[in-house]
Amino acid sequence: MKLFTLLLIFLIASTSFKPAEGEQDKGFFAATVDGKPFKVRDDQIFKGILVNKAGSMDGRTAAHTVVNVTFNGPSYDKPDHRPFNETVQFEINYQEQKTGPTSLFTVALQYQSTDYSMIKETSKLNVTRFTWEPDHKHFRISADFDCKMRSWGYPSDGKKDTNLKGKMTNVRITVPSWITAKN
């Protein structure tokens, strides 16, 4: 009888704690900077937007569409009393439903009062999932990344290169109507 009671309690408990409708689709982001966790704000919403980027004036870069996602960390004042927001921002070249490694992306990091940009030759991003929502106005993207980051003031600021590593899962990307109309 005790075994039956324990089994019944386990079954009730395991079905009672299912995520609420829509909760399983919230998304997830985790990253480390040189092995230390990047703290994401408690109120962070895991979403992004599809954006058209203009080509460069010299013609070397053509106009293209990118997935733009920003993850916000803590806000505080720098030692000079100017406000600073820690963030990780991604721009990933949009290729519908394509997964796998991509070389067409950029990452920016604002961390511990310093601005960083990625070193392209030593940075990797792998899109692990791309799924359209039924309305075809949104899609979900997941990716793993491992990026070497360099401060904007290098080498005169004396900051060493840092490693940004982590993953984003099930991030909801909005597709604006003006982009949908072109495709």
Side-chain angles (χ1 to χ4, degrees):
M1 185 67 180
K2 281 185 178 181
L3 180 61
F4 177 74
T5 305
L6 287 173
L7 183 59
L8 185 60
I9 291 171
F10 175 75
L11 287 173
I12 291 170
S14 65
T15 58
S16 298
F17 296 108
K18 293 207 186 265
E21 178 127 0
E23 287 288 310
Q24 67 273 16
D25 295 330
K26 280 181 79 172
F28 174 80
F29 176 79
T32 59
V33 180
D34 286 339
K36 297 176 191 157
F38 179 85
K39 172 98 172 86
V40 178
R41 276 191 210 152
D42 293 335
D43 63 350
Q44 173 71 54
I45 299 172
F46 300 104
K47 65 180 184 173
I49 190 165
L50 211 55
V51 178
N52 285 330
K53 298 282 285 189
S56 62
M57 291 180 68
D58 63 6
R60 290 184 188 182
T61 305
H64 58 287
T65 304
V66 297
V67 173
N68 186 305
V69 181
T70 301
F71 301 99
N72 298 298
S75 297
Y76 49 85
D77 287 338
K78 292 169 103 174
D80 62 4
H81 303 290
R82 290 184 301 157
F84 189 82
N85 300 311
E86 291 191 356
T87 62
V88 180
Q89 182 176 13
F90 293 87
E91 285 188 354
I92 306 166
N93 193 54
Y94 171 70
Q95 294 179 302
E96 186 173 345
Q97 295 185 316
K98 184 173 187 248
T99 58
T102 182
S103 60
L104 303 171
F105 69 98
T106 59
V107 180
L109 170 67
Q110 292 181 295
Y111 184 70
Q112 294 184 341
S113 301
T114 305
D115 296 318
Y116 295 89
S117 56
M118 71 174 209
I119 302 172
K120 187 169 181 59
E121 301 78 27
T122 56
S123 296
K124 299 175 195 156
L125 186 135
N126 182 39
V127 176
T128 57
R129 184 171 161 228
F130 185 116
T131 308
W132 280 103
E133 290 189 356
D135 65 5
H136 226 66
K137 295 178 183 175
H138 304 90
F139 61 86
R140 301 278 177 163
I141 193 167
S142 300
D144 300 324
F145 53 90
D146 188 354
C147 303
K148 182 70 82 170
M149 308 298 290
R150 181 165 285 163
S151 74
W152 288 8
Y154 179 84
S156 61
D157 65 1
K159 304 273 182 169
K160 67 178 186 70
D161 292 348
T162 63
N163 189 52
L164 174 68
K165 186 175 185 173
K167 68 179 182 174
M168 64 181 91
T169 305
N170 211 25
V171 176
R172 188 175 198 224
I173 307 301
T174 300
V175 181
S177 59
W178 58 89
I179 292 178
T180 305
K182 289 181 179 182
N183 293 336

